[in-house]
Structure formats: C-alpha cells, structure tokens
C-alpha cells in the first residue's frame, strides 16, 4: 500500500515507518518538525535501506496538505501528528484543540475528497479516565478525560466513528496505546523529550545520564503491590508492528474499530526503575513524593481484541524495553 504517515518523523511514527517499509509498504512522511528532526529520515534509511519521501507540512494548513494529496495516490493514512504534552495542554488548550482536532479534520476532509478510505489513528488509554476496572476493555467506551490532551483524543475517536457511519467506503482502526517506551534495537531511533520529561522512562533515563539527580516517584500509597502506580508499558517496536497489522486490517474491513495496544501486563514505577538499573548495571537514586494530580493507581489493557482482530501479540518484555532505551540514550547523550 502507498501510505501517508503524518507525524512520521516522531517517536512512534518513525518506528512505524521502519516496520511498514520492512513489510513492503511504500511510505510518505508528512511532519512539520515541531517535535522531531529531519535526520530521522537518514536513520530510517540506515535501518531499512529506503529513505521515505518527505513533506514538511503542517496539517493545520489545508492548502499545503491538499497539495500533498494531489501529488500522491495514497491508499491509506496513519495519523500520528499531534501535540502530546498533558501538562502543556492544560495551559494552552486552544492550541491543543486547534492542532489535534482542527488539523485532524483537515486531514479527514482531504481523505474523503481524494477517496483515501483507510485510516489508523493514534489514540490513548487516557480516554478510559479513572472510571473503569482493569483490565480496560474497548467496549467500556470513554471515561472522564482529565486534561485537554486526553479530550482531543476522545473527540477524534468520536469524529472518526461518526465519519465512518456517514461514509460507507470509509474504514478506520483507532488504536488506544497504553504506555509506549523503548527504542529501536539499532540505537538509532528513540524518544528525545523536550525539556523536563513528564513520562517515567525518559525521566529515569535522564537520572542515569546525570541530567536529573533522582527520580521523583509520584506516590507509594496506591492500592498496588508496592504502592507505586502500575502501567502497561509496551515496546515501541511492538506498537509499530501493531500499526502494520491495523492498516492491513482497515484495507480489508469497512467501518471503524477501536483496539487497545498493550501487553496486558502491569509494571509499577519501581519495577521500571529496577529494570532500567539492570540495563545500565547500577543503582539509580529515587525519592518518594506526593501523588501526581490526575494519576490513577493502575492501568493495563485487555489485549484480547487486538489478538482476535489483528492477530497482534506484543513480544518484548520490560527488560528488553529498558535495554533498548538505555542503548538509545547512550548513543544520544
Ligand atoms: P511525537 O511528538 O514524537 O510525534 C508526533 C509528531 O507529529 C512530531 O514529529 C511532530 O513534529 C508532529 N506534529 C505535531 N503537530 C503537527 C502538525 N500540526 N502538522 C504536522 N506534524 C505535526 O509523539 P509520539 O510519541 O510519536 O506520538 C505520536 C502520536 O501518538 C500522537 O498523536 C500522540 O498523542 C499519540 N500517543 C502517544 C503516546 C506516547 O506515550 N508517546 C501515547 C498515546 C498516544
Ligand atoms: C501519561 C498521561 C497520559 C498519556 C501518557 C502517554 C498523565 C496524567 N497522563 O500517562 O495522558 O497518554 O502519559 O504515555 O500525565 N511517574 C513517576 N515519576 C515521574 C514520571 C512518572 O513516578 O517522573 C509515574 C506516574 O505517577 C505513573 C507512571 O510513572 O504511575 C507512568 O507515568 P507516565 O509515564 O507519565 O504515564 P501515564 O501517567 O500513564
């Protein structure tokens, strides 16, 4: 398939491009480089032997986006482009809605206009909110999102579902990611956070490289085995492979499907810290702090739908996730 990958130079997008190319698909990347670098294209080439065609375009710019559709005969779109910082979304909500919802509507309109019927969308487990029992099942629907970022994901899910109902040719797979971490085994691709990392793994990595003094563990009084928050961490390469299966599924099935992508296993903050210590071969400092507002105790996926519909099963464990992250951060200090 000839596939437009929006946000394709980003963390998850770049890994997905590698897996799409490995699976024999033709990839065209579109990104405004707001949160990624152009040299990712050379890294994709170093891994796969192919440098994808690239457009530096903002999805908010309808006319520029239309030129990309006009010049290419896409069969599918995988849509990663978006802002993703939870805390920032609380301070600048209009920018988040404009980019993540407004930009996406431009894309969906052009898909319709140019008869590009197959979509995979990056959603998040954040749409379950704190309303449900684990493991989170797709049929639960939506919980209360606790920040504008999460709400942009929920709104996109609704738009995609409505659009598929209104357009019998359209097909979409909405992937609800749990907690993607890790990096490509080559050490070439990974996640470089902007500023102080919000997410656990990049923060742990910065403690290891000496940028941060210690890990702040947000709460040890949750109802979990060691009292710290439990999440379903998934290796980004596993997640990337799920996208290949999802876009191939969309091509064969009309309508919209929502599918969790996780491992189905929960690890605590201290489990992740200890796995990273194993990877780097030394102890890392941490301090127990207050709970972070908006956090829930436990989140992990029911993965049976991904297995049933896509034949997807995550392969890599927490040790491999930390080993690959560690290698990437050593290469990119
Ligand atoms: P990322 O920031 O590394 O990648 C997103 C890419 O989109 C970046 O390269 C950025 O430059 C680009 N972009 C942003 N706005 C754009 C615009 N208006 N036009 C064109 N390009 C634009 O993030 P990621 O971690 O790879 O996440 C990819 C997607 O998955 C995002 O939609 C994110 O919300 C979603 N998601 C991520 C996680 C996670 O933990 N990383 C979890 C759940 C969902
Ligand atoms: C967060 C976002 C979620 C988003 C997801 C993307 C919040 C409230 N939620 O989820 O919307 O989709 O990232 O991956 O921000 N932790 C620490 N110390 C740290 C950082 C994190 O103890 O410095 C703990 C957290 O309390 C949590 C766990 O580590 O228990 C994972 O945190 P994080 O990586 O931020 O992911 P989520 O909170 O699951």
């Amino acid at each position: 398939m000839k596939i437009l990958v929006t946000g394709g130079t980003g963390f998850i997008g770049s890994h997905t491009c590698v897996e799409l190319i490995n699976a024999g698909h033709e990839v065209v990347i579109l990104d405004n480089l707001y949160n990624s670098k152009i040299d990712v294209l050379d890294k994709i080439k170093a891994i796969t032997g192919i440098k994808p065609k690239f457009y530096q375009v903002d999805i908010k710019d309808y006319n520029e986006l239309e030129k990309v559709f006009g010049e290419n005969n896409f069969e599918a779109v995988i849509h990663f482009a978006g802002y993703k910082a939870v805390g920032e979304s609380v301070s600048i909500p209009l920018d988040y809605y404009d980019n993540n919802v407004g930009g996406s509507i431009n894309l969906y309109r052009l898909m319709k206009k140019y008869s590009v019927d197959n979509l995979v969308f990056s959603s998040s487990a954040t749409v379950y909110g704190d309303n449900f029992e684990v493991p989170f099942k797709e049929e639960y629907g939506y919980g209360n999102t606790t920040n504008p970022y999460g709400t942009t994901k929920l709104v996109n899910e609704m738009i995609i579902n409505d659009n598929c109902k209104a357009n019998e040719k359209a097909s979409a797979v909405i992937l609800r990611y749990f907690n993607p971490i890790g990096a490509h085994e080559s050490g070439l691709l990974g996640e470089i956070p902007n500023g102080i990392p919000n997410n656990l793994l990049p923060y742990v990595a910065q403690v290891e490289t000496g940028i941060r003094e210690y890990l702040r563990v947000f709460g040890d009084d949750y109802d979990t085995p060691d009292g710290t928050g439990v999440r379903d961490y998934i290796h980004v390469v596993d997640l990337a492979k799920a996208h290949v299966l999802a876009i191939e599924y969309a091509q064969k099935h009309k309508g919209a499907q929502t599918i969790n992508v996780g491992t189905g296993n929960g690890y605590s903050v201290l489990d992740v810290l200890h796995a990273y210590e194993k990877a780097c071969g030394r102890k890392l400092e941490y301090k127990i702090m207050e709970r972070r507002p908006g956090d829930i105790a436990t989140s992990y996926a029911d993965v049976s739908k991904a297995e049933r519909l896509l034949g997807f099963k995550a392969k890599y464990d927490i040790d491999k996730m930390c080993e690959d992250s560690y290698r990437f951060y050593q290469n990119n200090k």
Side-chain angles (χ1 to χ4, degrees):
M1 257 185 282
K2 183 167 183 178
I3 303 169
L4 174 66
V5 182
T6 75
T9 41
F11 172 48
I12 306 169
S14 58
H15 288 84
T16 300
C17 289
V18 166
E19 297 308 320
L20 288 167
I21 293 168
N22 286 344
H25 296 291
E26 185 185 347
V27 166
V28 176
I29 296 181
L30 180 151
D31 202 296
N32 64 357
L33 300 179
Y34 169 80
N35 197 34
S36 55
K37 297 213 161 58
I38 189 86
D39 66 358
V40 165
L41 299 174
D42 294 323
K43 292 176 178 172
I44 293 174
K45 181 167 183 205
I47 296 168
T48 64
I50 291 175
K51 187 167 175 175
K53 188 168 170 187
F54 176 73
Y55 290 91
Q56 185 171 351
V57 166
D58 192 310
I59 57 168
K60 291 194 291 301
D61 187 335
Y62 183 90
N63 293 332
E64 285 299 308
L65 191 56
E66 174 148 31
K67 283 188 201 155
V68 179
F69 276 82
E71 284 174 21
N72 293 276
N73 205 1
F74 296 125
E75 292 163 84
V77 174
I78 303 185
H79 179 30
F80 295 102
Y83 298 154
K84 63 166 185 177
V86 171
E88 184 183 67
S89 78
V90 178
S91 325
I92 48 167
L94 297 182
D95 291 356
Y96 270 69
Y97 287 111
D98 190 28
N99 199 50
N100 293 8
V101 179
S104 298
I105 290 176
N106 285 341
L107 182 70
Y108 305 149
R109 276 196 199 287
L110 287 166
M111 287 179 69
K112 185 154 186 258
K113 184 166 175 186
Y114 286 82
S115 299
V116 185
D117 298 325
N118 306 305
L119 172 71
V120 171
F121 175 69
S122 305
S123 190
S124 164
T126 196
V127 302
Y128 289 114
D130 56 3
N131 308 55
F132 305 115
E133 301 265 298
V134 283
F136 294 145
K137 299 182 202 305
E138 294 86 349
E139 70 251 30
Y140 287 168
Y142 312 119
N144 296 324
T145 52
T146 53
N147 55 75
Y149 162 74
T151 310
T152 68
K153 292 294 168 191
L154 188 151
V155 171
N156 265 279
E157 289 202 8
M158 289 173 162
I159 293 170
I160 292 166
N161 277 301
D162 288 343
N163 192 41
C164 283
K165 278 183 210 143
N167 176 2
E168 61 183 25
K169 286 197 300 178
S171 45
V173 176
I174 294 164
L175 295 179
R176 288 184 179 160
Y177 311 158
F178 279 67
N179 290 59
I181 61 169
H184 194 265
E185 204 169 15
S186 62
L188 293 173
L189 299 174
E191 181 179 24
I192 301 180
N194 256 335
I196 303 174
N198 290 308
N199 295 122
L200 176 62
L201 204 282
Y203 203 101
V204 171
Q206 293 198 352
V207 174
E208 196 284 327
T209 52
I211 300 174
R212 315 270 159 216
E213 216 180 314
Y214 55 85
L215 173 69
R216 302 164 305 166
V217 175
F218 297 137
D220 69 346
D221 56 352
Y222 286 107
D223 184 15
T224 61
D226 65 16
T228 68
V230 166
R231 296 290 183 272
D232 186 340
Y233 297 94
I234 177 164
H235 196 297
V236 65
V237 172
D238 272 328
L239 178 59
K241 288 178 178 160
H243 287 78
V244 179
L245 296 168
I247 201 68
E248 290 170 353
Y249 180 92
Q251 195 189 25
K252 294 192 197 97
H253 302 83
K254 293 294 146 206
Q257 287 288 353
T258 302
I259 303 177
N260 289 337
V261 193
T263 63
N265 302 312
Y267 292 97
S268 74
V269 176
L270 295 179
D271 289 336
V272 173
L273 180 72
H274 296 324
Y276 206 86
E277 287 176 337
K278 210 157 113 186
C280 69
R282 65 188 183 84
K283 287 267 168 228
L284 300 173
E285 292 291 315
Y286 70 91
K287 284 189 187 164
I288 305 295
M289 318 289 280
E290 291 292 298
R291 291 180 178 193
R292 182 172 66 177
D295 271 356
I296 58 175
T298 305
S299 159
Y300 58 89
D302 181 315
V303 293
S304 56
K305 190 171 178 187
E307 237 180 292
R308 188 160 37 84
L309 262 54
L310 305 180
F312 172 76
K313 206 168 165 30
K315 192 165 128 194
Y316 299 124
D317 64 12
I318 193 78
D319 288 339
K320 168 80 173 155
M321 298 178 214
C322 289
E323 281 160 26
D324 288 342
S325 282
Y326 176 62
R327 186 179 307 108
F328 174 75
Y329 288 116
Q330 289 304 298
N331 287 352
N332 294 276
K333 271 187 181 168

